[in-house]
Amino acid sequence: MTSADRWLLPDGIDEVLPPQARQIEHLRRHLLDFLDNCGYDLVIPPALEYLDSLLTGTGKDLDLRTFKVTDQLSGRLMGLSADTTPQVARIDAHSYAQDGISRFSYCRTVFHAKSSSLLASRTPMQIGAELYGEAGLDADVEIISLMLAMLEQAGMQQVHLDLGNVGVFRALARQAGINADQQTELFALLKLKCATDLAVWAERELSDASMVEAFTLLATLQGGHEAMRAQFARMAELVPGAADELEHVMKVAEHVAKRFPNTSMMCDLTELRGYDYHTGLVFAAYVPGYGDAIAQGGRYDETGAVFGRARAATGFSADLKVLARLGDVKTDRKQTVVAPSSDDPALWQAIQQLRSQGMRVLVQLNHDAVPADSRLDYLDGQWQLVEA
């Protein structure tokens, strides 16, 4: 290893330098204050937990993204948290099991053994919110509205919202009786959004003509919620078990559209992100010029059961570093004052007073050139603030 290699960071691991670090921290405080104003209580789960607790109730994807280490005290496997949501589910079910509805927020760095996409960091600063104890329409509308409002607070422009529902695919798979291998093939086809290939697959694998039509129709369920009404109605006729989920997507879209009339929205029932983890509505937010979702979430009602307390649950998360980079929030610039290096107690008191007033005071060392707005000078027998 050369001396230069010692300073290289691993792929996907980034460091944040001035002034971006100040911008991110300013945004973190602002968004957490906003979430608190919305009634979401801050929690700080541990970065490291026993693996069997950390991965309980999660899908295979999270297991593959989790760094694993051996605890030198107990010999048990531990993991670095790759996603805050399962930990908050444990908090709701066990550590802070309150009656009624619970609302939590968080912001902390998580760690990924492999990036979730080409654009993603392996150490995202995850910020998000979770709502427990309510399975109805109002909870889904609240959490999506909170996500969109938070993105507004982060200065995001031209946000586009995608709505899906993995419950629709579950109902189709259940009625058609397809096996795990067939589901894997379907996932690949739906990911490619190729209606022709999906129709060919349905003709080859399914004998029931109504199910062939249903799976062929599934590939076309992408568009504005008003434009999807006829297709949704036909899917409900073909697969009665999907009727409630389809109606739920439509109602959520209608409510969100009233609150955010300037946010473009599309329903996409081919989106099966988190299929092994989510249980119903899923959603994601995008902005022009960025190829990944800037925030995403969904319903995961079954996660708390493994901790001994089954609770309706929904939430979302985003990478704060991405929001800071793409958003348009100006960081308040502090007035910078330079002070001479001196052991005068009066000077020290003047410095402390200015700092308590929110000014940035730097003590000049060895006559270094410090860019500043003002300086402390000794005039008329006292330390005074003058223009630099």
Side-chain angles (χ1 to χ4, degrees):
M1 177 183 291
T2 67
S3 59
D5 291 335
R6 293 190 181 96
W7 314 118
L8 291 177
L9 292 173
D11 289 343
I13 306 295
D14 53 349
E15 58 189 358
V16 185
L17 307 175
Q20 287 77 22
R22 176 180 289 185
Q23 180 186 13
I24 290 173
E25 177 60 15
H26 171 81
L27 184 61
R28 183 190 71 84
R29 297 180 189 182
H30 175 65
L31 295 184
L32 285 179
D33 283 344
F34 171 75
L35 293 173
D36 182 70
N37 291 344
C38 295
Y40 284 73
D41 296 317
L42 181 66
V43 292
I44 307 176
L48 192 66
E49 283 197 50
Y50 288 126
L51 198 63
D52 50 3
S53 172
L54 195 63
L55 297 181
T56 296
T58 66
K60 180 180 179 182
D61 180 61
L62 192 61
D63 185 12
L64 295 175
R65 285 192 286 138
T66 300
F67 280 104
K68 301 172 179 68
V69 297
T70 301
D71 180 15
Q72 298 301 309
L73 296 180
S74 66
R76 295 173 60 184
L77 274 178
M78 302 181 75
L80 286 167
S81 175
D83 184 14
T84 309
T85 299
Q87 294 178 283
V88 181
R90 174 183 53 75
I91 289 172
D92 174 72
H94 179 69
S95 308
Y96 195 74
Q98 302 291 298
D99 293 331
I101 293 173
S102 296
R103 295 175 172 87
F104 298 111
S105 65
Y106 54 85
C107 184
R108 40 79 79 102
T109 298
V110 294
F111 309 90
H112 293 170
K114 54 184 291 188
S115 298
S116 57
S117 73
L118 293 175
L119 295 176
S121 167
R122 292 170 67 195
T123 55
M125 189 175 292
Q126 194 176 58
I127 185 169
E130 314 292 335
L131 191 157
Y132 296 92
E134 176 57 57
L137 171 71
D138 290 344
D140 286 332
V141 172
E142 175 175 325
I143 208 72
I144 294 174
S145 299
L146 182 68
M147 180 186 75
L148 294 176
M150 191 190 80
L151 294 178
E152 287 182 349
Q153 292 290 318
M156 306 305 299
Q157 306 291 326
Q158 296 179 278
V159 174
H160 171 83
L161 177 67
D162 269 8
L163 292 176
N165 194 321
V166 299
V168 174
F169 180 84
R170 292 181 190 276
L172 266 72
R174 188 165 52 246
Q175 183 167 321
I178 60 176
N179 59 38
D181 290 339
Q182 289 174 313
Q183 288 192 30
T184 300
E185 290 182 62
L186 273 175
F187 289 154
L189 294 174
L190 289 169
K191 189 174 182 180
L192 295 174
K193 313 290 187 185
C194 184
T196 302
D197 289 347
L198 186 60
V200 171
W201 179 91
E203 290 283 357
R204 183 183 73 244
E205 300 290 334
L206 304 174
S207 57
D208 187 329
S210 64
M211 293 311 301
V212 171
E213 182 184 350
F215 277 100
T216 303
L217 179 60
L218 178 64
T220 70
L221 296 184
Q222 305 167 59
H225 65 282
E226 292 294 344
M228 289 287 101
R229 285 189 181 277
Q231 290 95 318
F232 276 26
R234 179 55 181 160
M235 180 65 81
E237 292 176 3
L238 294 168
V239 187
D244 288 345
E245 301 290 0
L246 290 163
E247 180 65 17
H248 188 70
V249 174
M250 189 65 68
K251 288 182 177 179
V252 169
E254 290 170 352
H255 281 70
V256 173
K258 291 177 182 177
R259 294 184 177 187
F260 299 88
N262 296 323
T263 297
S264 67
M265 190 188 322
M266 184 177 80
C267 297
D268 185 357
L269 275 300
T270 68
E271 177 55 62
L272 298 178
R273 173 182 49 81
Y275 177 76
D276 293 329
Y277 175 67
H278 287 296
T279 58
L281 193 75
V282 292
F283 49 87
Y286 299 85
V287 292
Y290 191 70
D292 274 347
I294 58 168
Q296 58 189 12
R299 183 159 287 282
Y300 53 99
D301 292 341
E302 298 172 4
T303 301
V306 297
F307 298 111
R309 192 184 188 214
R311 294 259 278 172
T314 183
F316 72 88
S317 65
D319 185 350
L320 184 69
K321 291 186 285 188
V322 171
L323 299 186
R325 185 168 75 247
L326 299 179
D328 186 25
V329 172
K330 303 300 181 185
T331 303
D332 295 335
R333 183 181 179 277
K334 291 184 176 182
Q335 181 177 348
T336 301
V337 179
V338 64
S341 179
S342 169
D343 59 0
D344 183 354
L347 174 60
W348 176 247
Q349 293 300 321
I351 290 173
Q352 293 298 88
Q353 183 178 7
L354 292 177
R355 286 172 173 168
S356 68
Q357 294 171 0
M359 296 186 192
R360 194 167 186 248
V361 184
L362 290 80
V363 176
Q364 193 171 25
L365 302 176
N366 298 321
H367 305 288
D368 59 334
V370 179
D373 305 301
S374 309
R375 69 176 189 273
L376 276 170
D377 276 353
Y378 193 72
L379 302 171
D380 301 325
Q382 62 181 340
W383 292 98
Q384 298 185 31
L385 194 63
V386 299
E387 290 188 8

